[in-house]
Amino acid sequence: MSLPDMSMLRGARLDDASEIARLSGELGYPASAAEIVTRLTALLDDPVHRISVVEAAGTLLGWIAVECRMTLESGERAEIVGLVVSEQARRQGVGRTLVDDAEAWAHALGFATLVVRSNVLRDASHEFYRRQGYMLRKTQHVYAKTLDAVS
């Protein structure tokens, strides 16, 4: 793992919420610090989730979320469900460090494969994952429907 000078890889904490929200917004997933606190509260102590960050001088340079997923058709697998590196910290080893951490976590749990999905519009991330040894296995569409509010 290579990190920029004075950087540290560690597990995420509740007090990272505002920095995680800032980074999420950079990638087009806006969320408030309060929303991130709620999500972190649900995920941090759950053993099937891992959220790691790289920090330098009190500022987060990036975060990764990986989880064990069970699906009927595929069984259990490990999947990176979120990776964000600050625009200013890209191409400095932060993303590689975070992915290495996710791979080590998945491997320690007995998984032989780690899966990641990437938006078709994110060409830079596609190249990043290829450089890390990930191979394209599938292209798909994601559909969503807004459901009426439940009373």
Side-chain angles (χ1 to χ4, degrees), residues 10 28 51-52 54 58-59 66 80 88 99 102-105 110-111 117 120 128 131 143 147 151:
R10 61 171 174 77
I51 303 168
S52 300
V54 170
T59 300
V66 60
I80 295 171
Q88 294 80 16
V99 169
E103 290 174 359
W105 179 80
F111 291 100
R117 299 168 195 270
V120 69
F128 167 79
R131 283 194 314 271
Y143 298 90
L147 304 177
S151 311

Side-chain angles (χ1 to χ4, degrees), residues 60-75:
L60 292 191
L61 304 179
W63 62 262
I64 194 165
V66 60
E67 66 183 23
C68 298
R69 302 189 73 191
M70 175 63 81
T71 62
L72 187 58
E73 78 282 358
S74 301

Side-chain angles (χ1 to χ4, degrees), residues 82-118:
L83 171 62
V84 181
V85 175
S86 173
E87 190 171 343
Q88 294 80 16
R90 290 181 191 151
R91 301 197 182 282
Q92 296 179 30
V94 174
R96 175 75 249 175
T97 297
L98 291 164
V99 169
D100 284 348
D101 182 69
E103 290 174 359
W105 179 80
H107 188 266
L109 292 176
F111 291 100
T113 303
L114 183 59
V115 174
V116 63
R117 299 168 195 270
S118 180

